[in-house]
Amino acid sequence: SSATPSLPCATASRRPRFYVARAMSSHIVGYPRIGPKRELKFALESFWDGKTNVDDLQNVAANLRKSIWKHMAHAGIKYIPSNTFSYYDQMLDTTAMLGAVPSRYGWESGEIGFDVYFSMARGNASAHAMEMTKWFDTNYHYIVPELGPDVNFSYASHKAVVEFKEAKALGIDTVPVLIGPMTYLLLSKPAKGVEKSFCLLSLIDKILPVYKEVLADLKSAGARWIQFDEPILVMDLDTSQLQAFSDAYSHMESSLAGLNVLIATYFADVPAEAYKTLMSLKCVTGFGFDLVRGLETLDLIKMNFPRGKLLFAGVVDGRNIWANDLSASLKTLQTLEDIVGKEKVVVSTSCSLLHTAVDLVNEMKLDKELKSWLAFAAQKVVEVNALAKSFSGAKDEALFSSNSMRQASRRSSPRVTNAAVQQDVDAVKKSDHHRSTEVSVRLQAQQKKLNLPALPTTTIGSFPQTTDLRRIRREFKAKKISEVDYVQTIKEEYEKVIKLQEELGIDVLVHGEAERNDMVEFFGEQLSGFAFTSNGWVQSYGSRCVKPPIIYGDITRPKAMTVFWSSMAQKMTQRPMKGMLTGPVTILNWSFVRNDQPRHETCFQIALAIKDEVEDLEKAGVTVIQIDEAALREGLPLRKSEQKFYLDWAVHAFRITNSGVQDSTQIHTHMCYSNFNDIIHSIIDMDADVITIENSRSDEKLLSVFHEGVKYGAGIGPGVYDIHSPRIPSTEEIAERINKMLAVLDSKVLWVNPDCGLKTRNYSEVKSALSNMVAAAKLIRSQL
Ligand code: GLN
Ligand code: ZN
């Protein structure tokens, strides 16, 4: 039909004309910008260090953009995104585009340059950085806009149009991508001094004029498409928010005329009401859906999809590293085509490929078989196109058959399935797991053994990781130093850390985690079913990346993982020494997980392995064991309807790990990241003896739940200072914090500890801060 937008596409000329009847086309929501070998990271960091100049940085960035666009064009992708590159973060780019720079950066007008841009991201000598928070339920962090009634919005960054033109000059026609106005506003926060109740959506009339200017600019540069990312639509928006959504897009209608408009949603299915709102938008040419995470959307599409509109079907997973099951995707696409009509389906990724690793080509150490099961961003682009091509009649039979062979090899591999583990998990799932004695009684049994003072002091686990330490671990791994030498070096490190804690007067000690590179990798490397990449980096924030392990098979623990280290450490002191483990939910949430079984199955498998470790530690005489669940909160599903199920199995998995220990064994857990108020009942349900919890960056929001009367009988240590900052908190300041906590928590349950591990700090900071912390605890103790 005539409503179908047409765009010259790279492969059009190669397509035989008689296939046009089945012309399904291809689209990529967004692409990683960090580079296959983290080129952007290194360019940014040397620029920030003053080792390189603006041109150097811009050159690296331009080369990355060029190679990404060329890769997509060569693969045959029809709708290629632009403006998904970012020097730091796409939300911050939008803040720059709108000129919404907080006043503390001293910017008034003109195009926003690197100076102001990076100051907002990282702070400068006179102004602290803007806050950063998690992008939906991913491990990517965005810079949170600070808005209020006084912000003067203006078109202050032309990045979108500049990138569009840059691609055009390379002969590539792109779809410029903007974060939609609703997602932008709803992810903002009221600026300091602005009332918390300030309605961010009231700013919509002020930002739309800027969006309109951008659209006009893009149109005159020759853009024929515009993609608005509106992932906020998958959240539980209320009626007035949905109304604001349609109003915003109707408002832009005249500016959108002449452009094909795609609204992309992702990360979950779109709730029925939001779907209705979306479908009623007049100005839209196509809608994008995540069909990997949002299975219910398919039903909504079946019930109602407006004639003549395009459906961007996100069938290739943007958040994982598995090769797509092409024939299964083809079936989904055929179903969709039957519903919405020929030529109306566009094959796409479930979300931006930002959340997966960049390019499998650089993995030299993964074994061939495992590698054949994987696809990173670069390979996913090829998959998207292969699916689209098969619809246009040009099915690449060789590719499809090799794909189905690889899928079959993964399904039947003995490396993947271990019947004994599956049976154990089936058994464990059926029963509940609780420690047999109630927490208050357990605490008494533990106190008999530990004999701790009131307000006991402790730390979270890691001590500063010096470059020397990192080098030693690297050399040991590369077999450049012997095991004996390695153990000796680590032992000396323990001695140093233990002596320091004893001198400081800390009550419950840690060994400092010198033997660990990373709290997940350390365990993953010792469990079966895990694999590690060399370059499978995913941007976490700014120039920072993480390299999640890949869980590919059923998990077992061939032998004890920490007993050797923890018992060595315990023997070095009279004081209690915590055995330190990472919990099952955190290992799961910080890994690329299997897509061939539900997440909770994998989590229970990890729980069983950790349970064995806990019990071995106990047998070895370690009487305080900390099981970190740093990432429990961040795995919370976006939709309220799915949260209870997650929390139930996550908490159950945690309890499996320690329900078998004696009353006198003290189980600690630790959690990072603010906003646990909504899951406080699940935290209580974890039934740990002591929980240490990050608190100081969230304005002691945590304490408000106790103000509201939530009863907490177990030990609890809300962090008394922020370890992310080099600032040394004074004794008075910490004492004041402790007093605030005592206003809502019984002195019998309160622990005194920092927010999180000390890994990223240096020794002089750690010594001063901990010494003040212990002094504060002693001071308050004496006043009890
Ligand atoms: N035990 C870990 C450490 O101290 C916990 C880290 C974390 O919570 N992210 O480093
Ligand atoms: Zn932490």
Side-chain angles (χ1 to χ4, degrees), residues 91-161:
M91 277 293 276
L92 183 62
D93 293 349
T94 314
T95 293
M97 179 182 93
L98 298 170
V101 180
S103 58
R104 64 180 177 280
Y105 303 106
W107 175 85
E108 266 158 26
S109 60
E111 182 81 4
I112 290 171
F114 279 146
D115 239 18
V116 174
Y117 182 79
F118 288 134
S119 294
M120 290 193 281
R122 312 175 64 233
N124 61 28
S126 51
H128 62 91
M130 291 170 76
E131 186 190 304
M132 173 170 90
T133 199
K134 272 173 175 295
W135 178 244
F136 296 88
D137 60 349
T138 72
N139 197 17
Y140 177 80
H141 301 71
Y142 71 93
I143 302 283
V144 187
E146 299 169 19
L147 305 177
D150 303 331
V151 183
N152 277 318
F153 295 98
S154 66
Y155 185 14
S157 163
H158 290 63
K159 178 176 172 288
V161 73

Side-chain angles (χ1 to χ4, degrees), residues 460-462 513 519 580 590 626 628 630 670-672 756-759:
I460 308 307
S462 58
E513 303 183 17
M519 64 188 286
M580 201 57 72
W590 284 349
Q626 177 172 315
D628 287 331
H670 164 72
M671 287 192 171
C672 303
C756 192
L758 305 169
K759 177 155 95 176

Side-chain angles (χ1 to χ4, degrees), residues 12-273:
S13 55
R14 276 186 259 134
R15 269 184 204 153
R17 201 179 301 163
F18 53 86
Y19 288 133
V20 167
R22 303 211 61 153
M24 194 178 275
S25 56
S26 52
H27 165 256
I28 304 294
V29 178
Y31 200 83
R33 52 246 180 173
I34 206 76
K37 295 203 166 154
R38 290 182 295 163
E39 291 82 351
L40 183 62
K41 171 195 176 68
F42 300 117
L44 281 168
E45 290 173 1
S46 59
F47 174 72
W48 292 334
D49 285 348
K51 289 181 196 145
T52 49
N53 61 30
V54 174
D55 288 344
D56 300 325
L57 176 59
Q58 284 177 333
N59 274 336
V60 172
N63 282 331
L64 281 170
R65 288 192 293 263
K66 182 169 149 190
S67 72
I68 293 165
W69 286 323
K70 292 252 152 155
H71 171 60
M72 291 195 215
H74 286 152
I77 299 296
K78 181 169 178 182
Y79 302 109
I80 297 175
S82 60
N83 200 37
T84 58
F85 175 84
S86 178
Y87 281 101
Y88 203 94
D89 163 50
Q90 70 270 16
M91 277 293 276
L92 183 62
D93 293 349
T94 314
T95 293
M97 179 182 93
L98 298 170
V101 180
S103 58
R104 64 180 177 280
Y105 303 106
W107 175 85
E108 266 158 26
S109 60
E111 182 81 4
I112 290 171
F114 279 146
D115 239 18
V116 174
Y117 182 79
F118 288 134
S119 294
M120 290 193 281
R122 312 175 64 233
N124 61 28
S126 51
H128 62 91
M130 291 170 76
E131 186 190 304
M132 173 170 90
T133 199
K134 272 173 175 295
W135 178 244
F136 296 88
D137 60 349
T138 72
N139 197 17
Y140 177 80
H141 301 71
Y142 71 93
I143 302 283
V144 187
E146 299 169 19
L147 305 177
D150 303 331
V151 183
N152 277 318
F153 295 98
S154 66
Y155 185 14
S157 163
H158 290 63
K159 178 176 172 288
V161 73
V162 169
E163 274 187 31
F164 175 80
K165 287 180 183 163
E166 185 181 315
K168 210 169 173 208
L170 295 166
I172 297 165
D173 203 347
T174 58
V175 178
V177 179
L178 299 178
I179 289 185
M182 290 300 286
T183 296
Y184 181 77
L185 286 182
L186 290 174
L187 294 184
S188 306
K189 65 170 188 185
K192 217 175 172 159
V194 174
E195 275 175 50
K196 292 261 175 292
S197 59
F198 174 71
C199 175
L200 293 157
L201 275 184
S202 69
L203 296 172
I204 193 83
D205 293 337
K206 290 191 176 174
I207 69 169
L208 288 181
V210 184
Y211 271 93
K212 288 181 179 175
E213 277 185 76
V214 179
L215 293 171
D217 213 5
L218 285 167
K219 268 198 273 190
S220 59
R224 275 178 279 179
W225 272 86
I226 180 79
Q227 172 181 327
F228 289 105
D229 280 8
E230 291 282 19
I232 200 75
L233 271 183
V234 308
M235 306 294 283
D236 301 290
L237 299 187
D238 63 30
T239 320
S240 69
Q241 289 167 323
L242 289 174
Q243 185 59 48
F245 195 95
S246 14
D247 291 349
Y249 281 88
S250 326
H251 206 92
M252 284 193 285
E253 225 164 77
S254 58
S255 306
L256 291 170
L259 280 170
N260 291 297
V261 179
L262 162 61
I263 295 190
T265 67
Y266 39 79
F267 297 148
D269 42 40
V270 176
E273 277 308 301

